[in-house]
């Protein structure tokens, strides 16, 4: 793992970026790209024509003209669960030029494998994971991590120009293999989402006597449930390291419970003598 500047010696290019999947996260990224002067266009399962009109982003209901719209970059912002279906439904042979495909999915080995499988060999592939979202990034992206792997990059200038979008917002650029990302994310992001979901199942709510630690738990619950269940289940289903972490969580819960029960029975036997 390294934390590096991704800049090439050439000045960053203004890019034409086609966004596939214009849900919460696709819209969130598009706003910063537009602010920086890049040209964006979008396609999605849902009809976002009206919203796109307000943002001045051309919206394509039909994927063929979208693919033929002279994109420098195609940015995949669909859910983890729908990635294969979405890519397999796109007539990718209609692409008129060499394009950089970038994904922002919260797991990394899965999109890397799918992109390498479905894309023509002459397309470049950059896998990224912005480790923030509309809530944590609402006041800017400074010091927030952008994890990436240049999986198949021949046009370095175009790739650097794309990464510069995040660098120029002050993101911490972390170059890491997709495998390493998934290992670390299973033990950090997936774990925090799981605990947040468990707290939501328990229905915890803020009280008039919150400790700081309990406030942290309430925030964790809220942040986990702000993301879609599709996102959470994608973190589990498409990260091969997540199942082990779920088992670790279960075993650790059981160990803590057993320690408490043992201590209780020791105390009870003491008080009965
Ligand atoms: P999400 O629930 O993970 O994904 C929603 C997007 O997926 C929408 O664009 C939706 O299209 C599309 N989609 C879902 N099912 C589909 C299907 N069957 N066919 C076609 N499209 C489908 O929520 P999200 O927060 O917007 O996340 C998008 C991606 O960004 C995910 O891969 C996520 O892991 C990644 N990401 C999210 C965050 C975050 O904080 N939210 C942070 C980093 C990375 P329609 O809107 O057209 O229905």
């Amino acid at each position: 793992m390294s934390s590096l500047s991704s800049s090439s010696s050439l000045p960053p290019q203004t890019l034409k970026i086609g966004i596939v999947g214009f849900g919460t996260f696709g819209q969130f990224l598009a706003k910063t790209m537009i602010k920086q002067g890049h040209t964006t266009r979008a396609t999605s399962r849902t009809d976002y024509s009206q919203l796109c009109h307000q943002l001045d982003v051309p919206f394509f209901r039909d994927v063929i003209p979208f693919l033929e719209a002279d994109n420098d970059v195609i940015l995949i912002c669909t859910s983890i669960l729908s990635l294969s279906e979405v890519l397999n439904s796109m007539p990718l042979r209609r692409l008129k030029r060499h394009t950089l495909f970038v994904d922002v999915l919260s797991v990394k080995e899965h999109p890397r494998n799918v992109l390498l499988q479905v894309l023509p060999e002459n397309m470049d592939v950059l896998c990224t994971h912005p480790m923030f979202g509309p809530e944590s990034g609402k006041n800017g992206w400074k010091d927030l991590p952008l994890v990436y792997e240049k999986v198949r990059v021949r046009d370095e200038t175009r790739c650097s120009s794309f990464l510069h979008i995040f660098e120029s917002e002050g993101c911490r650029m972390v170059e890491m293999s997709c495998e390493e990302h998934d290992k670390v994310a299973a033990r950090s992001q997936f774990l925090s989402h799981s605990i947040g979901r468990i707290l939501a199942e328990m229905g915890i709510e803020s009280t008039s006597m919150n400790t700081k630690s309990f406030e942290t738990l309430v925030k964790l619950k809220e942040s986990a449930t702000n993301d879609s269940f599709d996102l959470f289940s994608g973190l589990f289903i498409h990260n091969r390291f997540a199942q082990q972490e779920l088992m670790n969580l279960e075993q650790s819960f059981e160990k803590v419970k057993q320690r408490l029960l043992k201590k209780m029975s020791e105390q009870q036997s003491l008080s009965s003598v």
Side-chain angles (χ1 to χ4, degrees):
M1 178 185 108
S2 61
S3 201
L4 312 160
S5 163
S6 61
S7 307
S8 81
S9 47
L10 294 168
Q13 302 166 329
T14 300
L15 297 168
K16 295 189 275 292
I17 303 172
I19 300 175
V20 180
F22 208 59
T24 314
F25 199 60
Q27 293 167 31
F28 168 70
L29 292 179
K31 285 175 190 155
T32 296
M33 291 169 182
I34 296 165
K35 181 193 81 179
Q36 292 186 3
H38 299 286
T39 306
T40 56
R41 58 288 298 262
T43 187
S44 210
R45 171 184 61 171
T46 304
D47 182 1
Y48 288 108
S49 312
Q50 272 199 327
L51 174 80
C52 281
H53 183 68
Q54 286 160 20
L55 296 172
D56 206 14
V57 172
F59 183 76
F60 293 77
R61 288 241 66 186
D62 186 351
V63 76
I64 293 176
F66 171 84
L67 288 177
E68 292 177 348
D70 189 30
N71 300 295
D72 297 308
V73 175
I74 291 194
L75 181 62
I76 312 290
C77 298
T78 55
S79 67
I80 300 167
L81 297 184
S82 67
L83 175 77
S84 297
E85 182 194 335
V86 169
L87 283 174
N88 282 310
S89 70
M90 293 171 82
L92 294 165
R93 306 271 156 200
R94 298 293 283 257
L95 285 163
K96 293 230 162 90
R97 49 176 290 201
H98 298 178
T99 310
L100 170 65
F101 276 73
V102 182
D103 85 283
V104 294
L105 273 62
S106 309
V107 293
K108 293 276 50 80
E109 286 192 305
H110 173 61
R112 179 200 61 195
N113 296 345
V114 175
L115 285 166
L116 289 177
Q117 192 193 345
V118 302
L119 289 178
E121 218 280 320
N122 57 0
M123 301 296 157
D124 282 2
V125 178
L126 171 69
C127 288
T128 77
H129 183 193
M131 305 295 303
F132 52 93
E135 191 48 38
S136 50
K138 69 178 174 208
N139 297 319
W141 301 358
K142 190 160 170 11
D143 298 329
L144 300 173
L146 183 278
V147 177
Y148 67 96
E149 181 181 358
K150 294 179 185 178
V151 172
R152 186 168 70 199
V153 172
R154 281 152 296 203
D155 186 339
E156 284 284 348
T157 307
R158 181 177 54 186
C159 179
S160 293
S161 299
F162 181 82
L163 290 171
H164 188 74
I165 295 172
F166 294 87
E167 261 177 358
S168 62
E169 294 297 317
C171 285
R172 193 153 52 79
M173 307 299 286
V174 184
E175 190 166 12
M176 187 190 274
S177 72
C178 292
E179 178 180 1
E180 186 62 15
H181 166 280
D182 283 2
K183 251 187 224 163
V184 176
R187 219 175 155 73
S188 54
Q189 190 193 26
F190 171 67
L191 200 57
S192 49
H193 272 253
S194 301
I195 293 172
R197 289 273 168 188
I198 293 168
L199 296 170
E201 278 299 326
M202 292 175 70
I204 67 156
E205 294 296 345
S206 190
T207 70
S208 56
M209 43 175 277
N210 281 357
T211 58
K212 288 283 171 210
S213 317
F214 187 67
E215 260 167 33
T216 311
L217 290 191
V218 173
K219 280 193 195 127
L220 181 62
K221 176 202 90 169
E222 282 162 2
S223 112
T225 48
N226 275 341
D227 285 328
S228 69
F229 197 81
D230 268 10
L231 200 162
F232 176 50
S233 42
L235 296 181
F236 179 65
I237 298 166
H238 290 293
N239 181 340
R240 66 191 164 104
F241 304 102
Q243 202 164 345
Q244 183 60 51
E245 294 305 337
L246 194 63
M247 287 191 307
N248 292 347
L249 181 65
E250 223 174 353
Q251 284 163 6
S252 303
F253 174 82
E254 200 46 46
K255 274 189 196 158
V256 172
K257 189 172 125 192
Q258 289 311 325
R259 280 185 69 189
L260 283 173
L261 292 173
K262 184 164 171 266
K263 189 76 183 170
M264 186 163 79
S265 91
E266 283 167 8
Q267 289 293 308
Q268 281 165 351
S269 17
L270 274 179
S271 58
S272 64
V273 287

